[in-house]
PDB file of all heavy atoms in Angstrom:
ATOM      1  N   GLY A  41       6.678  -0.873  -5.832  1.00 88.00           N
ATOM      2  CA  GLY A  41       5.469  -1.615  -6.199  1.00 88.00           C
ATOM      3  C   GLY A  41       4.807  -1.045  -7.427  1.00 88.00           C
ATOM      4  O   GLY A  41       3.650  -0.623  -7.381  1.00 88.00           O
ATOM      5  N   ASN A  42       5.539  -1.015  -8.538  1.00 89.00           N
ATOM      6  CA  ASN A  42       5.064  -0.419  -9.782  1.00 89.00           C
ATOM      7  C   ASN A  42       4.773  -1.535 -10.777  1.00 89.00           C
ATOM      8  O   ASN A  42       5.701  -2.126 -11.326  1.00 89.00           O
ATOM      9  CB  ASN A  42       6.127   0.532 -10.329  1.00 89.00           C
ATOM     10  CG  ASN A  42       5.612   1.407 -11.446  1.00 89.00           C
ATOM     11  OD1 ASN A  42       4.403   1.489 -11.680  1.00 89.00           O
ATOM     12  ND2 ASN A  42       6.517   2.048 -12.150  1.00 89.00           N
ATOM     13  N   PRO A  43       3.510  -1.887 -11.033  1.00 91.00           N
ATOM     14  CA  PRO A  43       3.202  -3.006 -11.923  1.00 91.00           C
ATOM     15  C   PRO A  43       3.898  -2.872 -13.270  1.00 91.00           C
ATOM     16  O   PRO A  43       4.001  -1.770 -13.823  1.00 91.00           O
ATOM     17  CB  PRO A  43       1.679  -2.922 -12.079  1.00 91.00           C
ATOM     18  CG  PRO A  43       1.216  -2.257 -10.824  1.00 91.00           C
ATOM     19  CD  PRO A  43       2.285  -1.261 -10.496  1.00 91.00           C
ATOM     20  N   GLY A  45       3.058  -4.459 -16.137  1.00 88.00           N
ATOM     21  CA  GLY A  45       2.215  -4.671 -17.299  1.00 88.00           C
ATOM     22  C   GLY A  45       1.382  -3.452 -17.625  1.00 88.00           C
ATOM     23  O   GLY A  45       1.205  -2.561 -16.793  1.00 88.00           O
ATOM     24  N   ALA A  47      -2.245  -1.424 -18.726  1.00 95.00           N
ATOM     25  CA  ALA A  47      -3.671  -1.566 -18.423  1.00 95.00           C
ATOM     26  C   ALA A  47      -4.304  -2.503 -19.452  1.00 95.00           C
ATOM     27  O   ALA A  47      -3.754  -2.724 -20.541  1.00 95.00           O
ATOM     28  CB  ALA A  47      -4.347  -0.197 -18.458  1.00 95.00           C
ATOM     29  N   MET A 102      -7.558  10.844  -6.997  1.00 96.00           N
ATOM     30  CA  MET A 102      -6.408  10.706  -7.900  1.00 96.00           C
ATOM     31  C   MET A 102      -5.423   9.704  -7.319  1.00 96.00           C
ATOM     32  O   MET A 102      -4.347  10.041  -6.834  1.00 96.00           O
ATOM     33  CB  MET A 102      -5.754  12.075  -8.117  1.00 96.00           C
ATOM     34  CG  MET A 102      -6.685  13.074  -8.776  1.00 96.00           C
ATOM     35  SD  MET A 102      -5.935  14.713  -8.854  1.00 96.00           S
ATOM     36  CE  MET A 102      -7.325  15.686  -9.422  1.00 96.00           C
ATOM     37  N   GLY A 103      -5.819   8.446  -7.369  1.00 93.00           N
ATOM     38  CA  GLY A 103      -5.085   7.403  -6.670  1.00 93.00           C
ATOM     39  C   GLY A 103      -5.497   7.399  -5.210  1.00 93.00           C
ATOM     40  O   GLY A 103      -5.995   8.401  -4.686  1.00 93.00           O
ATOM     41  N   THR A 246      -7.599   1.260  -4.874  1.00 97.00           N
ATOM     42  CA  THR A 246      -6.961   1.866  -6.031  1.00 97.00           C
ATOM     43  C   THR A 246      -6.981   0.906  -7.207  1.00 97.00           C
ATOM     44  O   THR A 246      -6.929  -0.316  -7.016  1.00 97.00           O
ATOM     45  CB  THR A 246      -5.504   2.259  -5.715  1.00 97.00           C
ATOM     46  OG1 THR A 246      -4.885   2.747  -6.904  1.00 97.00           O
ATOM     47  CG2 THR A 246      -4.698   1.061  -5.211  1.00 97.00           C
ATOM     48  N   LEU A 247      -7.038   1.460  -8.420  1.00 97.00           N
ATOM     49  CA  LEU A 247      -6.921   0.642  -9.619  1.00 97.00           C
ATOM     50  C   LEU A 247      -5.460   0.458 -10.023  1.00 97.00           C
ATOM     51  O   LEU A 247      -5.156  -0.206 -11.006  1.00 97.00           O
ATOM     52  CB  LEU A 247      -7.709   1.269 -10.783  1.00 97.00           C
ATOM     53  CG  LEU A 247      -9.209   0.953 -10.814  1.00 97.00           C
ATOM     54  CD1 LEU A 247      -9.955   1.613  -9.667  1.00 97.00           C
ATOM     55  CD2 LEU A 247      -9.828   1.386 -12.149  1.00 97.00           C
ATOM     56  N   SER A 248      -4.535   1.030  -9.252  1.00 96.00           N
ATOM     57  CA  SER A 248      -3.114   1.003  -9.604  1.00 96.00           C
ATOM     58  C   SER A 248      -2.560  -0.404  -9.724  1.00 96.00           C
ATOM     59  O   SER A 248      -1.820  -0.707 -10.664  1.00 96.00           O
ATOM     60  CB  SER A 248      -2.289   1.766  -8.558  1.00 96.00           C
ATOM     61  OG  SER A 248      -2.588   3.127  -8.569  1.00 96.00           O
ATOM     62  N   LYS A 249      -2.888  -1.266  -8.780  1.00 95.00           N
ATOM     63  CA  LYS A 249      -2.208  -2.559  -8.681  1.00 95.00           C
ATOM     64  C   LYS A 249      -2.879  -3.646  -9.509  1.00 95.00           C
ATOM     65  O   LYS A 249      -2.300  -4.185 -10.449  1.00 95.00           O
ATOM     66  CB  LYS A 249      -2.113  -2.981  -7.204  1.00 95.00           C
ATOM     67  CG  LYS A 249      -1.596  -1.903  -6.268  1.00 95.00           C
ATOM     68  CD  LYS A 249      -0.221  -1.403  -6.643  1.00 95.00           C
ATOM     69  CE  LYS A 249       0.270  -0.358  -5.633  1.00 95.00           C
ATOM     70  NZ  LYS A 249       1.610   0.148  -5.945  1.00 95.00           N
ATOM     71  N   TYR A 251      -5.389  -3.553 -11.580  1.00 96.00           N
ATOM     72  CA  TYR A 251      -5.801  -3.192 -12.939  1.00 96.00           C
ATOM     73  C   TYR A 251      -4.639  -2.640 -13.765  1.00 96.00           C
ATOM     74  O   TYR A 251      -4.838  -2.165 -14.876  1.00 96.00           O
ATOM     75  CB  TYR A 251      -6.947  -2.166 -12.889  1.00 96.00           C
ATOM     76  CG  TYR A 251      -8.261  -2.762 -12.439  1.00 96.00           C
ATOM     77  CD1 TYR A 251      -8.551  -2.939 -11.079  1.00 96.00           C
ATOM     78  CD2 TYR A 251      -9.223  -3.177 -13.358  1.00 96.00           C
ATOM     79  CE1 TYR A 251      -9.750  -3.491 -10.663  1.00 96.00           C
ATOM     80  CE2 TYR A 251     -10.420  -3.727 -12.951  1.00 96.00           C
ATOM     81  CZ  TYR A 251     -10.685  -3.876 -11.601  1.00 96.00           C
ATOM     82  OH  TYR A 251     -11.878  -4.432 -11.196  1.00 96.00           O
ATOM     83  N   ASN A 252      -3.411  -2.704 -13.228  1.00 96.00           N
ATOM     84  CA  ASN A 252      -2.209  -2.221 -13.929  1.00 96.00           C
ATOM     85  C   ASN A 252      -2.373  -0.765 -14.377  1.00 96.00           C
ATOM     86  O   ASN A 252      -1.977  -0.401 -15.484  1.00 96.00           O
ATOM     87  CB  ASN A 252      -1.892  -3.091 -15.155  1.00 96.00           C
ATOM     88  CG  ASN A 252      -1.382  -4.466 -14.790  1.00 96.00           C
ATOM     89  OD1 ASN A 252      -0.941  -4.700 -13.672  1.00 96.00           O
ATOM     90  ND2 ASN A 252      -1.454  -5.389 -15.716  1.00 96.00           N
ATOM     91  N   MET A 253      -2.915   0.081 -13.511  1.00 96.00           N
ATOM     92  CA  MET A 253      -3.200   1.466 -13.882  1.00 96.00           C
ATOM     93  C   MET A 253      -2.516   2.446 -12.930  1.00 96.00           C
ATOM     94  O   MET A 253      -3.067   3.507 -12.615  1.00 96.00           O
ATOM     95  CB  MET A 253      -4.722   1.692 -13.913  1.00 96.00           C
ATOM     96  CG  MET A 253      -5.404   0.933 -15.045  1.00 96.00           C
ATOM     97  SD  MET A 253      -7.218   0.847 -14.920  1.00 96.00           S
ATOM     98  CE  MET A 253      -7.668   2.577 -15.061  1.00 96.00           C
ATOM     99  N   ALA A 254      -1.301   2.122 -12.490  1.00 95.00           N
ATOM    100  CA  ALA A 254      -0.629   2.943 -11.486  1.00 95.00           C
ATOM    101  C   ALA A 254      -0.465   4.398 -11.950  1.00 95.00           C
ATOM    102  O   ALA A 254      -0.725   5.328 -11.194  1.00 95.00           O
ATOM    103  CB  ALA A 254       0.732   2.334 -11.133  1.00 95.00           C
ATOM    104  N   GLY A 255      -0.022   4.589 -13.183  1.00 94.00           N
ATOM    105  CA  GLY A 255       0.211   5.935 -13.678  1.00 94.00           C
ATOM    106  C   GLY A 255      -1.065   6.709 -14.008  1.00 94.00           C
ATOM    107  O   GLY A 255      -1.023   7.927 -14.206  1.00 94.00           O
ATOM    108  N   TRP A 256      -2.194   6.022 -14.051  1.00 96.00           N
ATOM    109  CA  TRP A 256      -3.459   6.684 -14.359  1.00 96.00           C
ATOM    110  C   TRP A 256      -3.952   7.483 -13.153  1.00 96.00           C
ATOM    111  O   TRP A 256      -4.731   8.416 -13.312  1.00 96.00           O
ATOM    112  CB  TRP A 256      -4.528   5.643 -14.719  1.00 96.00           C
ATOM    113  CG  TRP A 256      -4.285   4.863 -15.968  1.00 96.00           C
ATOM    114  CD1 TRP A 256      -3.133   4.224 -16.338  1.00 96.00           C
ATOM    115  CD2 TRP A 256      -5.233   4.604 -16.999  1.00 96.00           C
ATOM    116  NE1 TRP A 256      -3.309   3.587 -17.533  1.00 96.00           N
ATOM    117  CE2 TRP A 256      -4.589   3.799 -17.966  1.00 96.00           C
ATOM    118  CE3 TRP A 256      -6.563   4.956 -17.198  1.00 96.00           C
ATOM    119  CZ2 TRP A 256      -5.236   3.352 -19.126  1.00 96.00           C
ATOM    120  CZ3 TRP A 256      -7.207   4.515 -18.337  1.00 96.00           C
ATOM    121  CH2 TRP A 256      -6.548   3.727 -19.299  1.00 96.00           C
ATOM    122  N   ARG A 257      -3.552   7.114 -11.968  1.00 96.00           N
ATOM    123  CA  ARG A 257      -3.923   7.756 -10.705  1.00 96.00           C
ATOM    124  C   ARG A 257      -5.431   7.743 -10.492  1.00 96.00           C
ATOM    125  O   ARG A 257      -6.102   8.777 -10.530  1.00 96.00           O
ATOM    126  CB  ARG A 257      -3.385   9.196 -10.620  1.00 96.00           C
ATOM    127  CG  ARG A 257      -1.895   9.363 -10.908  1.00 96.00           C
ATOM    128  CD  ARG A 257      -1.000   8.365 -10.188  1.00 96.00           C
ATOM    129  NE  ARG A 257      -1.160   8.417  -8.741  1.00 96.00           N
ATOM    130  CZ  ARG A 257      -1.336   7.340  -7.989  1.00 96.00           C
ATOM    131  NH1 ARG A 257      -1.426   6.131  -8.524  1.00 96.00           N
ATOM    132  NH2 ARG A 257      -1.462   7.458  -6.692  1.00 96.00           N
ATOM    133  N   VAL A 258      -5.960   6.542 -10.270  1.00 97.00           N
ATOM    134  CA  VAL A 258      -7.385   6.367 -10.028  1.00 97.00           C
ATOM    135  C   VAL A 258      -7.592   5.553  -8.765  1.00 97.00           C
ATOM    136  O   VAL A 258      -7.086   4.423  -8.654  1.00 97.00           O
ATOM    137  CB  VAL A 258      -8.098   5.655 -11.195  1.00 97.00           C
ATOM    138  CG1 VAL A 258      -9.606   5.607 -10.959  1.00 97.00           C
ATOM    139  CG2 VAL A 258      -7.797   6.351 -12.518  1.00 97.00           C
ATOM    140  N   MET A 282     -10.086  14.123 -11.940  1.00 95.00           N
ATOM    141  CA  MET A 282      -9.265  13.499 -12.973  1.00 95.00           C
ATOM    142  C   MET A 282      -9.762  13.882 -14.365  1.00 95.00           C
ATOM    143  O   MET A 282     -10.930  14.224 -14.548  1.00 95.00           O
ATOM    144  CB  MET A 282      -9.326  11.976 -12.834  1.00 95.00           C
ATOM    145  CG  MET A 282      -8.674  11.410 -11.604  1.00 95.00           C
ATOM    146  SD  MET A 282      -9.091   9.665 -11.415  1.00 95.00           S
ATOM    147  CE  MET A 282     -10.690   9.748 -10.597  1.00 95.00           C
ATOM    148  N   ILE A 286     -10.097   9.448 -18.477  1.00 98.00           N
ATOM    149  CA  ILE A 286      -9.565   8.472 -17.517  1.00 98.00           C
ATOM    150  C   ILE A 286     -10.699   7.945 -16.640  1.00 98.00           C
ATOM    151  O   ILE A 286     -10.776   6.743 -16.352  1.00 98.00           O
ATOM    152  CB  ILE A 286      -8.443   9.106 -16.674  1.00 98.00           C
ATOM    153  CG1 ILE A 286      -7.171   9.275 -17.508  1.00 98.00           C
ATOM    154  CG2 ILE A 286      -8.155   8.260 -15.428  1.00 98.00           C
ATOM    155  CD1 ILE A 286      -6.025   9.938 -16.785  1.00 98.00           C
TER     156      ILE A 286
END
Side-chain angles (χ1 to χ4, degrees):
N42 192 13
M102 298 174 188
T246 175
L247 276 69
S248 294
K249 312 301 182 179
Y251 288 83
N252 289 342
M253 292 167 63
W256 295 49
R257 308 313 302 131
V258 185
M282 292 170 276
I286 287 178

